[in-house]
Amino acid sequence: MHVILRKYIRDNYYSRLNQLGFIGKDYFDKKKYKVIEFQQEFQQELTFVLPFAYWHHLNGTLLKTISCKNTKDLYFFSENHEEKYDVRLWRPLSASYDVPNMTHCNTFSFSKWARVPLKEHYQNDRFRFDKPLLIIANKYNIEWDGAPINYLDYATLNQIITTYKDKYQIVYNRPSSGQIVEDNSEILDLKEHARMRQEHPEVIVMDDLYAQHKATVNSFNHLQLLLYANCSHFISVHGGTAALASYFGGTNIIFSKRGVEHYFNEFSSIFPALSGARILHAKTEKAVLRYLEEYY
């Protein structure tokens, strides 16, 4: 593990040094030249790449962005965005040091990193409810070539919903493989949706909301942005799920049992930087419930 951590740190510092080659273009020429292309994991795109692209937009140097399908709404500021890829890569075919923060690290550079105003851009009156929103953003997929580790089981979900459904309009979101672009981490079926509909009809299941509005939104990602922008209370799970929920301010309880993020304390650094959200890292189901009792 220590060898891997050192490699992350080495690569990240090298990627920052690589930015010295762009001083003239970024700070003196100030012409649109930067093409930012990314096909790796969703979390990395949200924490490192999207803010880098937005910085270039603000700087007047962004020419084009290239990413996976259903990402154009994330890059709303890009005048030329191409949805090129149908699958994400866990590891790149070759190392790219073009992004100042290319991977996990104990420190991050914010010199070419700008907070992307997704909440401000996507706030709307379309997805408003009588009670404040509480979004539970779950996942259930292969992790590190093994069984799922970071996910909320139905017993925990049931306890959360039973306790808070009278106070909040709860929306439950666990995207399926047809709704988001997958990487090597195969999405599995937790088989909770039907049970939730039967036992907790007050809960809005994101799948149902998407089916209802599919004809009038650009993609599942677009629907997530519209809904999340109206929310200030999140429970999310390790990975891209947690990163997206961290973009919208308020409070985000992140359930993460295991991950490199723990070693680098990223839930106290890069994640809250995304929007200024209060990030509460829960390593156990009991910690999730404790944070809910204290903050929600």
Side-chain angles (χ1 to χ4, degrees):
M1 174 59 74
H2 291 294
V3 174
I4 295 174
L5 297 181
R6 286 196 296 269
K7 182 180 183 301
Y8 283 140
I9 294 172
R10 180 203 68 194
D11 286 350
N12 234 26
Y13 277 98
Y14 184 80
S15 69
R16 294 178 212 176
L17 287 173
N18 190 51
Q19 288 300 308
L20 294 174
F22 301 100
I23 288 177
K25 291 183 176 181
D26 288 343
Y27 297 105
F28 297 100
D29 294 343
K30 301 285 288 246
K31 296 177 181 178
K32 293 184 178 182
Y33 81 96
K34 196 67 176 180
V35 177
I36 298 174
E37 184 170 358
F38 193 77
Q39 193 188 356
Q40 293 171 244
E41 291 182 320
F42 192 45
Q43 178 181 318
Q44 289 176 265
E45 182 160 25
L46 291 175
T47 52
F48 308 140
V49 181
L50 191 62
F52 179 55
Y54 191 62
W55 181 88
H56 272 285
H57 163 71
L58 295 177
N59 194 51
T61 46
L62 183 64
L63 179 63
K64 183 177 182 179
T65 51
I66 304 169
S67 183
C68 300
K69 66 178 183 180
N70 300 330
T71 55
K72 69 176 183 178
D73 296 296
L74 289 168
Y75 292 88
F76 69 89
F77 52 86
S78 177
E79 296 177 359
N80 187 4
H81 181 70
E82 180 182 353
E83 296 183 346
K84 182 176 180 180
Y85 301 108
D86 294 324
V87 64
R88 292 184 179 274
L89 302 177
W90 181 30
R91 292 188 178 94
L93 299 176
S94 60
S96 172
Y97 298 97
D98 195 36
V99 179
N101 304 297
M102 66 172 291
T103 187
H104 302 284
C105 196
N106 57 340
T107 63
F108 297 102
S109 171
F110 293 96
S111 62
K112 293 183 181 179
W113 189 102
R115 186 177 289 177
V116 186
L118 292 180
K119 189 178 186 76
E120 293 81 358
H121 185 77
Y122 284 106
Q123 274 189 327
N124 60 90
D125 293 324
R126 184 177 178 184
F127 295 101
R128 301 283 185 184
F129 303 91
D130 293 336
K131 294 179 286 188
L133 272 171
L134 169 58
I135 294 176
I136 303 175
N138 200 10
K139 72 173 186 177
Y140 189 63
N141 55 259
I142 298 297
E143 293 186 86
W144 302 291
D145 297 323
I149 298 171
N150 298 300
Y151 69 96
L152 293 165
D153 60 22
Y154 190 77
T156 304
L157 291 169
N158 182 61
Q159 187 170 351
I160 293 170
I161 292 168
T162 300
T163 305
Y164 294 96
K165 66 183 180 181
D166 291 335
K167 184 177 181 180
Y168 295 98
Q169 175 56 66
I170 298 176
V171 175
Y172 179 72
N173 183 22
R174 186 178 65 79
S176 66
S177 58
Q179 294 165 342
I180 59 174
V181 177
E182 290 188 82
D183 53 25
N184 70 311
S185 302
E186 179 187 357
I187 295 175
L188 305 177
D189 190 359
L190 190 56
K191 301 184 186 301
E192 82 283 28
H193 285 154
R195 188 174 177 184
M196 192 175 293
R197 292 184 185 101
Q198 181 178 1
E199 296 179 4
H200 300 287
E202 308 92 341
V203 173
I204 297 174
V205 176
M206 194 72 165
D207 278 12
D208 299 336
L209 197 66
Y210 183 51
Q212 181 182 351
H213 295 277
K214 189 174 183 178
T216 56
V217 296
N218 298 329
S219 65
F220 189 82
N221 275 341
H222 185 212
L223 177 61
Q224 288 188 118
L225 292 170
L226 291 169
L227 191 71
Y228 282 33
N230 289 347
C231 183
S232 297
H233 300 84
F234 297 89
I235 306 168
S236 61
V237 173
H238 179 103
T241 299
L244 182 62
S246 299
Y247 258 91
F248 298 91
T251 300
N252 182 19
I253 300 172
I254 297 178
F255 180 47
S256 175
K257 289 184 176 180
R258 173 185 160 193
V260 175
E261 294 84 349
H262 296 209
Y263 295 97
F264 289 139
N265 204 27
E266 291 180 17
F267 297 124
S268 297
S269 59
I270 194 73
F271 277 78
L274 293 171
S275 69
R278 175 198 287 141
I279 304 298
L280 304 171
H281 176 202
K283 295 182 180 180
T284 65
E285 290 85 349
K286 288 184 178 179
V288 172
L289 299 174
R290 187 172 65 249
Y291 280 138
L292 280 166
E293 184 177 358
E294 183 176 354
Y295 292 96
Y296 288 27

